[in-house]
Amino acid sequence: MTDEVILEVKDLKTYFMVDEGLVKAVDGVDFQLHRGETLGIVGESGSGKSVTNLSIINLIPVPPGKIAGGQVLFHGKDLLKMPPHEIRDIRGNKISMIFQDPMTSLNPFLRISTQMVETIELHQGLDKKAAKAKAIEMLKLAGIPAPEKRIDQYPHQFSGGMRQRVMIAMALSCNPEILIADEPTSALDVTIQAQILELMQELTRKLGTAVIMITHSLGVVAGMCDTICVMYAGRIVERGRTEEIFESPKHPYTVGLIHSVPRLDQETKGRLYSIPGQPPNVIDLPDCCPFFPRCEKAMDICKKKYPPSVSFENGQSASCWLYAKEAQNA
Amino acid sequence: MPDHKVLLDVRGLKMHFPIKASFFSKAKNFIYAVDGIDFQVRKGETLGLVGESGCGKSTTARAIAQLYKPTAGEVILNGKDLTKLPPQEMIEARKNMQMVFQDPYASLNPRMTAGDIIAEPIRIFQKRGLIDMSTEERNDRVEHLMEKVGLSRFFKNRYPHEFSGGQRQRIGIARALALNPELILCDEPVSALDVSIQSQILNLFKDLQDEFGLTYLFIAHDLSVIKYISNRVAVMYLGLIVEIANAADLYKNPLHPYTQALLSAAPIPDPKIEAKRKRIILTGDVPSPDKQRPGCNFYDRCSKHMDICKQARPMLKEASPGHEVSCFLYHKPE
């Protein structure tokens, strides 16, 4: 990880118009990604993790979606304002993605070779033969046995773990600067998950790729990520270095999340800690702290105003009135 | 606390599914989903069944519930072999054994209200004259159950789509409790839920067990969930139980190489521990259960395999009191 910022997301807002009202799926998200960094975005379903990342590469379906504001600066250029042909040069080339479900993210009608060679030809300007050689090399790197043979097979001839390896090979084939991995191992078994995570870590380190890792699993971020952003109801509620977030979580939601997972390495005596209530309905959310109905430490001010982000000395920050000075004054 | 009375005794259970080229042709091949397993569940305890997809956990639960007709073996619940019961007695036996399913979206009828869903098991038994209950009593029972699982009784007339995933799972649990069963077969009941909701539901399972003295066969693929909920744990691989022991014992001292790999592969939510851990990374995928192997099913992926492992199948035997493992590292072939 270096100090060079390659991607900067500023006050990103992505809204969806649905029949019931306005869904602020992402509502003012900021973060920076440094070269070679692995950033984890953690949250529960509906917290806006995936929408954030689809917004970055401008893949939000319009309508019903709309990027209502903000900037996504990649090397200083705003991806959200780029004309379609320019962003196509970046998507899949400089910024590539791996999705959760390897069954649906590969085209079942096309051979792996067709799907991989196409991307490499297009972005790297190689001819067909050279592109295929490159594809085989990438499959080999991703640990696919006999890649010369396997490349001419169809996706259904691969197992779930193998398909995810193909996806990784494909995503890294153009030496991207950023890899966005959206729940890359959630559909996989534990032993296969360990294989895939190790492969991702090894390859991205080797190629110097920065990774945005979207996941709901705290175990995965603990092992993979340098920094973490915790999302709740469309906003980042806490961020910081991985060790610090786990050692001293500040936001009551992060605290609850960390304590509500049963641990493999510890004895849990009695009941498990659990956050009461349900995740909020994000339709027409009022401008208060969306966590207050579930929060043990909720105060009056939490119901009135969204808390500002408070920074701590170690670089960690949390959006919570517990730490905001205004709360004490009010 | 579990006593020593055996509630469920599974002996030599096999479930083979035929693969047919067409409906009329004769089956030449089989999927050996469950290939001869033995275990006991004692009254009041939770037996966790853990393994990866395709290892036969769900098939085991369904074969116990007689939703599949087992190919071979006995399923003895309260001293009665369910596989040999005539249909009428089987229905009565079901009263004692209910299921909670994984997908809270698919396991509830979208056209029935929450109250009707919970009342349905009672209604079915009423129709057959097995339960004597007035409509009023039944309504009271439904409301009582809803409160027990943490749902407001005012939600009785709502439809499943009006509930969140966690609440739907609560409806599923209330339905399973409706007939006051002794045994509940839980098939991945928390794996579709978010972390914060998962812990609520796990606590609910524990509370209900304490209150009603329930016995669970709890299936999950998440090792930490199994550790939290279970008294004893059985690890399955490719249709067989490879290790069964007390939860504390199994997690502290896993014997089978597969259990060891499984435990080392599971991520731990603590960056300091993660940075120091050494993983046993298994190579390859779980093989297809479409053939019976003469040797150990885990042979191809095992780092400690010996010649004997390819020739003979290890039996599940006690390695230390209460800790059974099927591996030649711990007992020599006969």
Side-chain angles (χ1 to χ4, degrees), chain B residues 173-248:
Chain B
I173 294 169
R175 173 177 63 186
L177 291 174
L179 294 170
N180 237 335
E182 285 179 273
L183 175 68
I184 298 190
L185 308 168
C186 313
D187 188 1
E188 299 263 15
V190 295
S191 52
L193 306 175
D194 268 319
V195 186
S196 70
I197 307 301
Q198 175 178 299
S199 60
Q200 293 176 4
I201 299 293
L202 286 174
N203 281 336
L204 176 64
F205 271 113
K206 278 213 160 170
D207 293 345
L208 293 171
Q209 182 167 42
D210 291 344
E211 188 170 347
F212 300 111
L214 295 167
T215 307
Y216 296 134
L217 177 68
F218 199 99
I219 298 176
H221 66 273
D222 186 328
L223 292 149
S224 39
V225 165
I226 285 287
K227 178 176 184 186
Y228 171 68
I229 199 95
S230 314
N231 303 107
R232 287 191 309 137
V233 178
V235 182
M236 279 189 84
Y237 185 77
L238 214 60
L240 292 171
I241 290 179
V242 296
E243 187 163 358
I244 185 165
N246 272 328

Side-chain angles (χ1 to χ4, degrees), chain A residues 2 18 25 28 37 45-46 85 107 111 122 135 145 165 221 241 258 263 281 287 315 330:
Chain A
T2 59
V18 294
E37 177 182 359
S45 13
H85 68 272
N107 186 332
R111 293 174 201 278
L122 192 72
R165 285 176 189 266
V221 282
R241 296 179 49 77
I258 290 175
R263 293 279 295 257
N281 186 345
D287 190 40

Side-chain angles (χ1 to χ4, degrees), chain A residues 45 189 191 195 247 271 275, chain B residues 52-53 194 207 272 282:
Chain A
S45 13
D189 276 317
T191 58
Q195 290 175 8
E247 179 126 346
R271 289 166 63 90
I275 305 174
Chain B
E52 296 179 282
S53 21
D194 268 319
D207 293 345
K272 281 185 193 146
L282 290 180

Side-chain angles (χ1 to χ4, degrees), chain A residues 44-45 159 162 189-195 198 216 218-220 222-223 242-243 246-247 257 260-268 270-279 294, chain B residues 52-53 164 167 194-200 202-203 206-207 221 223-225 227-228 251 258 261-263 265-274 279 281-285 301:
Chain A
E44 297 181 280
S45 13
S159 67
M162 282 294 168
D189 276 317
V190 203
T191 58
I192 310 294
Q193 168 173 296
Q195 290 175 8
E198 196 185 62
H216 66 273
L218 292 169
V220 169
T242 307
E243 304 89 65
F246 277 92
E247 179 126 346
L257 213 54
S260 58
V261 200
R263 293 279 295 257
L264 207 55
D265 55 329
Q266 288 169 8
E267 292 304 319
T268 315
R271 289 166 63 90
L272 207 56
Y273 178 81
S274 75
I275 305 174
Q278 311 285 334
R294 305 177 75 189
Chain B
E52 296 179 282
S53 21
S164 68
Q167 288 173 321
D194 268 319
V195 186
S196 70
I197 307 301
Q198 175 178 299
S199 60
Q200 293 176 4
L202 286 174
N203 281 336
K206 278 213 160 170
D207 293 345
H221 66 273
L223 292 149
S224 39
V225 165
K227 178 176 184 186
Y228 171 68
Y251 283 85
Y258 177 65
L262 207 57
L263 286 174
I268 288 177
D270 187 331
K272 281 185 193 146
I273 296 174
E274 280 291 302
R279 287 225 154 80
I281 302 261
L282 290 180
T283 52
D285 292 312
R301 298 175 83 195

Side-chain angles (χ1 to χ4, degrees), chain A residues 45-57:
Chain A
S45 13
S47 61
K49 336 182 268 297
S50 294
V51 174
T52 303
N53 287 282
L54 288 175
S55 307
I56 290 174
I57 47 172

Side-chain angles (χ1 to χ4, degrees), chain A residues 169-184:
Chain A
M170 214 183 251
L172 295 177
S173 61
C174 297
N175 296 329
E177 289 178 52
I178 301 171
L179 175 69
I180 299 176
D182 190 348
E183 303 266 11

